[in-house]
């Protein structure tokens, strides 16, 4: 099976930045929840300072977009940042998530929608006079929880993919189907040890590998401290499947890095 790696001197190669622009770690910039009338309910600043009159600007942009196109606005990309927006029309609530442009539209839209759903679940009858500070503890949970819909979407939207899972050490964070956990983890760890030894002999580290049979193949990728495993059919749109798996791996990496950085931020504070 093919192995792909990087030299030990290039652990932070092109396209695998440990931090964002000018050495800054990947991180959310701001999370804002407000009413459709523009009243701010909850705001959390992760980087920089709070933008003045942001609530009014967001509601004005939403109204303008819906009047001109008849469609809701869900993402706006600028030179360096992206703004993801989720709206609950029935409860008249809006979630606005400001991220770095490099984090990507899919990440922003998914997390904004999940943040809104969690906020509604926690505060079903939210009023601007309520105390929403308890939502601080939910931010990390929502980000880590996004692993589930990311993997499920890979299965649902691409018929070439049969199984997707993410493992960490001796645990499985999520699997799209029931599997033999103990057997899989034992065999995976043995396989990774062999791959590591082979690549070490070439002064390299394993990043991914592919095992191909007559009908099916398995793609294994290392992402941060986790292992992303995808089982695919050989005969179905192989190139498109590879592109989708690569895009999912990139999205998972963003989730893992930002989730870890937010946890570190809470510890510091």
């Amino acid at each position: 099976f093919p192995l792909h790696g990087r030299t030990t001197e290039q652990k932070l190669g092109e396209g695998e930045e440990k931090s964002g622009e000018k050495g800054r770690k990947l991180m959310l910039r701001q999370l804002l929840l407000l009413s459709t009338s523009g009243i701010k309910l909850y705001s959390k600043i992760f980087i920089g300072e709070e933008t003045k009159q942001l609530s009014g600007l967001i509601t004005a942009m939403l109204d303008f977009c819906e009047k001109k196109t008849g469609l809701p606005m869900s993402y706006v990309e600028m030179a360096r940042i992206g703004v993801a927006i989720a709206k609950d029309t029935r409860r008249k609530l809006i979630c606005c998530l400001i991220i770095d442009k490099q984090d990507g539209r899919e990440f922003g839209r998914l997390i904004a929608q999940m943040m809104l759903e969690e906020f509604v679940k926690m505060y079903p009858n939210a009023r601007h006079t309520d105390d929403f500070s308890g939502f601080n503890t939910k931010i990390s949970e929502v980000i880590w929880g996004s692993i589930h819909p990311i993997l499920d979407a890979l299965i649902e939207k691409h018929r070439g993919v049969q199984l997707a899972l993410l493992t960490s050490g001796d645990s499985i964070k999520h699997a799209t189907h029931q599997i033999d956990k103990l057997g899989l983890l034992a065999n995976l760890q043995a396989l990774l040890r062999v791959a590591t030894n082979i690549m070490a002999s070439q002064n390299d580290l394993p990043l991914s590998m592919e095992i191909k049979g007559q009908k099916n193949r398995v793609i294994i990728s290392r992402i941060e401290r986790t292992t992303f495993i995808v089982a695919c059919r050989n005969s179905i749109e192989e190139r498109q499947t590879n592109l989708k798996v690569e895009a999912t791996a990139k999205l998972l990496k963003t989730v893992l890095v930002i989730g870890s950085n937010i946890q570190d931020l809470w510890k510091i504070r």
Side-chain angles (χ1 to χ4, degrees), residues 216-230:
N216 303 293
R217 60 196 176 100
V218 177
I219 302 170
I220 303 173
S221 305
R222 291 290 294 165
I223 306 175
E224 297 300 306
R225 297 181 180 179
T226 68
T227 304
F228 177 39
I229 304 170
V230 181

Side-chain angles (χ1 to χ4, degrees), residues 19-35:
S19 55
E21 187 175 283
K22 295 182 181 180
R24 183 174 55 74
K25 286 184 177 181
L26 288 174
M27 179 63 76
L28 305 180
R29 287 179 175 261
Q30 182 177 352
L31 173 64
L32 176 67
L33 286 133
L34 61 149
S35 68

Side-chain angles (χ1 to χ4, degrees), residues 190-202:
L191 180 61
L192 291 176
R193 279 196 297 270
V194 172
T196 299
N197 291 336
I198 293 172
M199 298 302 287
S201 68
Q202 302 299 315

Side-chain angles (χ1 to χ4, degrees), residues 6 47 50 68 76 84 110 133 146 156 158 172 200 241 254 257:
R6 62 187 172 195
I47 295 174
E50 186 168 12
K68 291 295 182 180
V76 179
L110 174 62
S133 59
S146 68
E156 294 166 4
H158 204 290
I172 295 176
T241 299
T254 301
V257 172

Side-chain angles (χ1 to χ4, degrees), residues 62-73:
L62 283 171
D63 289 342
F64 179 81
C65 182
E66 290 181 6
K67 287 177 181 178
K68 291 295 182 180
T69 68
L71 299 171
M73 182 176 68

Side-chain angles (χ1 to χ4, degrees), residues 1-177:
F1 50 84
L3 284 172
H4 304 282
R6 62 187 172 195
T7 61
T8 53
E9 289 80 7
Q10 295 174 318
K11 291 184 180 179
L12 298 178
E14 183 177 339
E16 293 184 81
E17 296 175 322
K18 185 176 182 179
S19 55
E21 187 175 283
K22 295 182 181 180
R24 183 174 55 74
K25 286 184 177 181
L26 288 174
M27 179 63 76
L28 305 180
R29 287 179 175 261
Q30 182 177 352
L31 173 64
L32 176 67
L33 286 133
L34 61 149
S35 68
T36 51
S37 60
I39 299 174
K40 182 173 68 176
L41 303 178
Y42 174 89
S43 178
K44 184 68 180 177
I45 309 296
F46 298 93
I47 295 174
E49 299 179 355
E50 186 168 12
T51 304
K52 294 181 179 180
Q53 300 178 335
L54 181 60
S55 299
L57 177 62
I58 293 298
T59 52
M61 288 171 61
L62 283 171
D63 289 342
F64 179 81
C65 182
E66 290 181 6
K67 287 177 181 178
K68 291 295 182 180
T69 68
L71 299 171
M73 182 176 68
S74 61
Y75 187 76
V76 179
E77 192 171 275
M78 303 175 196
R80 293 169 55 185
I81 66 170
V83 181
I85 299 169
K87 185 177 181 180
D88 187 324
T89 304
R90 188 168 69 87
R91 291 183 172 83
K92 299 181 178 180
L93 291 173
I94 297 169
C95 176
C96 172
L97 182 67
I98 301 177
I99 60 175
D100 288 328
K101 178 182 175 180
Q102 68 195 50
D103 296 339
R105 179 182 62 180
E106 294 303 318
F107 171 79
R109 292 173 62 180
L110 174 62
I111 299 300
Q113 184 62 44
M114 291 183 67
M115 289 289 184
L116 179 60
E117 291 172 359
E118 187 63 33
F119 187 82
V120 168
K121 181 179 176 182
M122 194 169 180
Y123 306 102
N125 300 300
R127 295 171 294 182
H128 71 278
T129 55
D130 294 341
D131 178 15
F132 301 108
S133 59
F135 194 67
N136 288 344
T137 61
K138 294 295 182 179
I139 294 175
S140 289
E141 289 182 24
V142 170
I143 293 174
W144 291 122
S146 68
I147 291 171
H148 293 215
I150 290 172
L151 295 182
D152 292 341
L154 179 61
I155 291 289
E156 294 166 4
K157 296 180 180 180
H158 204 290
R159 61 195 184 98
V161 178
Q162 297 173 297
L163 169 70
L165 65 148
L166 190 72
T167 72
S168 178
D170 59 354
S171 66
I172 295 176
K173 288 186 173 292
H174 181 59
T176 55
H177 295 84

